[in-house]
Amino acid sequence: MGEAVKRAGERQGELDIEEIEAAIVNALVQRTVLPPYEELRDLHKALLGHIQTLMPLAERQVDRLNRGTVAWYTKRSRLNTIPHEVTQGLGSGLQSADWHVRSLGYTCQFLLDNSGLAHRRDR
């Protein structure tokens, strides 16, 4: 992760949690008809940006857990799969693009849930 991402993570108050949640909802919505590829491409780009911003925050939160516990191991394992997931492209078809965007939506939700930001918002 670059220095700009680290700085963004340190400025948590400036993150637009509602924008992140809207992208997650758009990624996970049940569709009866697949959207245009361009729409999925734009959503993919937005999710990747949110994932890049949330990743260091979630890693810090997970690293605070007791190492060796089931909770730590489960979350750490999930974090370890994310770099591979984000390098996957959308694919050439609508179904593969829709599937990948949905997968990134779940990943973004996991990161938001484990970033400490959702807890701050509830206060």
Side-chain angles (χ1 to χ4, degrees), residues 7-45:
R7 284 194 303 270
E10 292 167 1
R11 296 186 314 253
Q12 293 178 15
E14 296 178 25
L15 292 176
D16 189 345
I17 297 172
E18 289 181 8
E19 180 182 322
I20 295 170
E21 289 174 337
I24 292 168
V25 167
N26 286 336
L28 299 180
V29 68
Q30 291 294 330
R31 296 176 174 91
T32 55
V33 177
L34 295 175
Y37 191 85
E38 295 76 26
E39 185 179 322
L40 291 170
R41 185 190 61 221
D42 293 345
L43 186 52
H44 177 261
K45 184 178 177 183

Side-chain angles (χ1 to χ4, degrees), residues 8-117:
E10 292 167 1
R11 296 186 314 253
Q12 293 178 15
E14 296 178 25
L15 292 176
D16 189 345
I17 297 172
E18 289 181 8
E19 180 182 322
I20 295 170
E21 289 174 337
I24 292 168
V25 167
N26 286 336
L28 299 180
V29 68
Q30 291 294 330
R31 296 176 174 91
T32 55
V33 177
L34 295 175
Y37 191 85
E38 295 76 26
E39 185 179 322
L40 291 170
R41 185 190 61 221
D42 293 345
L43 186 52
H44 177 261
K45 184 178 177 183
L47 288 166
L48 289 178
H50 296 317
I51 289 168
Q52 186 177 26
T53 301
L54 292 171
M55 187 78 171
L57 301 175
E59 285 180 321
R60 260 187 252 140
Q61 292 294 321
V62 169
D63 286 344
R64 291 179 181 163
L65 297 173
N66 291 330
R67 289 182 184 265
T69 62
V70 172
W72 174 83
Y73 182 78
T74 302
K75 291 178 182 194
R76 188 69 247 176
S77 295
R78 179 70 178 100
L79 286 171
N80 290 344
T81 66
I82 293 171
H84 173 72
E85 180 185 12
V86 299
T87 62
Q88 304 302 307
L90 282 177
S92 59
L94 277 178
Q95 283 188 318
S96 66
D98 183 58
W99 179 87
H100 191 63
V101 164
R102 183 173 305 280
S103 177
L104 289 177
Y106 285 116
T107 296
C108 200
Q109 184 67 63
F110 168 81
L111 291 172
L112 182 59
D113 290 346
N114 289 282
S115 67
L117 294 175

